[in-house]
Amino acid sequence: MSTSRQRGNSRLPNFKDLPTLLRDARFWRFAAQAIAVLLVVLLVILIVDNVIYNLRQLGIQLGFDFLRTQASFDIGETLIPYSPADSYTRAILVGLVNSLRVTVLGLIFATMLGLLAGIARLSSNWLLRQLALVYVEIFRNTPLLLQLFFWYFAVFLKLPGVENSITLPGPTYLTSRGVFLPWFNPTAGTGLWLVLLALGIGGAIALWRWRVRLILEQGRPGNPILWSLGPLVASGLLALILTRTIPFSWNLPQLVGGTQLQGGLRLSPEFSTLVIGLVVYTGSFIAEIVRAGIQAVPRGQWEAARALGLKPGRIMQMVILPQALRVIIPPLTSQYLNLAKNSSLAIAIGFPDVYFVASTTFNQTGRAVEVMLLIMITYLTISLTISLLMNLYNQTVQLKER
């Protein structure tokens, strides 16, 4: 007992012996980190003190009381009610909602485009493979700001006016005033429809994963997609019986008098430019990430799946992509963060995102420090939220050792 205690004590540094402590590597590792933290704290204190001193010299007091005053400027595109008589807080909230709308749509469509382009880069079809290569090389190697200017000035602002609009099936109208799409209006049963459909989607995902596991582990035949359609169809029928109405009514854009478009959903040229620019630019990076992730899967996995008689689409869906996700998710998270931060380039084309509105607020109030802090906190919160969600998803696709 005494021997083990003596052996254990011999592993610890003798803090009463200064020369021995100074020769201990563990002490210097701890000391280096403590010194680094101390230097950072001192630097922050120095910067804050310098800022406060300069503001006092200019006769400006720090504070966020200006957020309650009247904004007195208009915002061209809002999803929530807003007027110039509202406060700066309301104006910044409008910009935040616009930023989140662009970010969410950009993440969804960039993922879809990148996934398709990444798979196309490995296609056996020569033409498809070359088209994907050209897309990736062009949009990945040109600045995003230049691409936004191209989409805005060379594409959307060059579209014809309403009277000569380009009509696509749907109907969808492409004009210099924006893109007019069919949209839907809620009905009396929309709420119940959404609840039941959400339950149906949850059941479909559970059934799909259960059938995939049976196919992989026990080799049972069956199409997981057909199984997952069951809960969706059942939830739709149940909602139709209970509400006796459809979930939405269509609101189609119509050309009135040959000079005006009414109804439907209007996407402004600025919003359309920003979403398309972010999607195309980020999708080119995601395509390379997907291609690298697929190529990281050992060749033997392809050969084993073919030996089992699986078709190419089923091999990609059930064997390759689940393994490639472990390689894809970490760099994909970085691209998601880049997309969220790149959305601040909206100011270059006049889209009122949170950065645009905050800049206008700064110009009117002169509260540079407070406004910059709000912008930093906003983008930091968005980025940390994306990182948290992607890390949680990454944990679900990692190998679990038994």
Side-chain angles (χ1 to χ4, degrees), residues 312-332:
R314 187 63 64 87
I315 293 175
M316 182 61 70
Q317 173 192 352
M318 301 180 63
V319 179
I320 303 303
L321 275 181
Q323 298 184 71
L325 281 177
R326 298 167 190 134
V327 182
I328 291 173
I329 296 299
L332 183 64

Side-chain angles (χ1 to χ4, degrees), residues 227-346:
W227 278 82
S228 59
L229 286 177
L232 290 176
V233 174
S235 62
L237 289 175
L238 182 59
L240 184 62
I241 294 172
L242 294 177
T243 62
R244 298 181 181 276
T245 180
I246 58 177
F248 304 102
S249 62
W250 283 106
N251 182 6
L252 302 177
Q254 295 179 347
L255 191 60
V256 179
T259 57
Q260 289 186 348
L261 276 168
Q262 295 180 353
L265 175 66
R266 174 181 173 269
L267 304 179
S268 68
E270 293 78 17
F271 175 80
S272 304
T273 296
L274 188 59
V275 171
I276 291 178
L278 290 173
V279 167
V280 174
Y281 178 76
T282 310
S284 63
F285 287 89
I286 294 178
E288 286 299 273
I289 293 173
V290 171
R291 179 184 64 82
I294 292 175
Q295 289 183 323
V297 178
R299 193 68 186 171
Q301 297 292 316
W302 290 85
E303 296 171 353
R306 291 194 191 99
L308 291 173
L310 296 177
K311 297 180 179 178
R314 187 63 64 87
I315 293 175
M316 182 61 70
Q317 173 192 352
M318 301 180 63
V319 179
I320 303 303
L321 275 181
Q323 298 184 71
L325 281 177
R326 298 167 190 134
V327 182
I328 291 173
I329 296 299
L332 183 64
T333 303
S334 298
Q335 291 306 317
Y336 283 178
L337 297 179
N338 287 337
L339 187 147
K341 290 179 287 187
N342 286 337
S343 66
S344 61
L345 289 175

Side-chain angles (χ1 to χ4, degrees), residues 206 208-219 318:
W208 186 83
R209 298 185 66 172
W210 174 62
R211 290 304 303 178
V212 168
R213 189 170 66 250
L214 287 181
I215 293 173
L216 293 177
E217 295 179 355
Q218 302 179 15
M318 301 180 63

Side-chain angles (χ1 to χ4, degrees), residues 19-239:
T20 303
L21 181 64
L22 295 178
R23 288 194 298 271
D24 195 293
R26 292 171 295 176
F27 166 75
W28 285 112
R29 284 197 294 269
F30 174 79
Q33 296 180 43
I35 293 172
V37 171
L38 181 62
L39 290 176
V40 170
V41 171
L42 290 176
L43 180 62
V44 171
I45 293 175
L46 179 63
I47 293 174
V48 171
D49 183 67
N50 188 47
V51 169
I52 293 175
Y53 173 78
N54 289 330
L55 290 176
R56 285 178 179 172
Q57 292 297 315
L58 295 173
I60 301 175
Q61 296 294 326
L62 278 176
F64 293 90
D65 53 329
F66 70 95
L67 292 174
R68 295 192 295 270
T69 59
Q70 183 175 323
S72 301
F73 64 87
D74 197 10
I75 298 178
E77 195 162 345
T78 65
L79 285 183
I80 59 177
Y82 172 80
S83 71
D86 288 327
S87 63
Y88 284 112
T89 303
R90 187 76 177 180
I92 294 175
L93 180 61
V94 170
L96 177 60
V97 172
N98 285 341
S99 290
L100 293 177
R101 180 170 60 136
V102 169
T103 301
V104 172
L105 289 177
L107 292 178
I108 294 173
F109 291 117
T111 303
M112 296 168 61
L113 179 61
L115 181 61
L116 293 176
I119 295 175
R121 289 274 283 118
L122 301 173
S123 173
S124 58
N125 186 301
W126 181 86
L127 179 59
L128 185 61
R129 191 170 63 250
Q130 297 306 317
L131 287 175
L133 174 64
V134 170
Y135 157 67
V136 169
E137 294 302 329
I138 288 178
F139 289 98
R140 196 178 60 152
N141 295 301
T142 52
L144 175 58
L145 184 60
L146 178 64
Q147 294 182 31
L148 290 177
F149 285 153
F150 168 77
W151 288 112
Y152 188 60
F153 292 109
V155 177
F156 283 100
L157 292 189
K158 294 298 182 182
L159 289 173
V162 174
E163 59 276 5
N164 298 316
S165 60
I166 301 174
T167 306
L168 301 177
T172 298
Y173 296 91
L174 303 180
T175 75
S176 58
R177 290 180 50 205
V179 180
F180 292 78
L181 302 169
W183 197 235
F184 45 81
N185 292 327
T187 62
T190 299
L192 185 57
W193 266 93
L194 291 178
V195 171
L196 291 176
L197 285 179
L199 294 175
I201 292 173
I205 294 174
L207 267 180
W208 186 83
R209 298 185 66 172
W210 174 62
R211 290 304 303 178
V212 168
R213 189 170 66 250
L214 287 181
I215 293 173
L216 293 177
E217 295 179 355
Q218 302 179 15
R220 292 189 181 183
N223 192 333
I225 296 179
L226 294 179
W227 278 82
S228 59
L229 286 177
L232 290 176
V233 174
S235 62
L237 289 175
L238 182 59

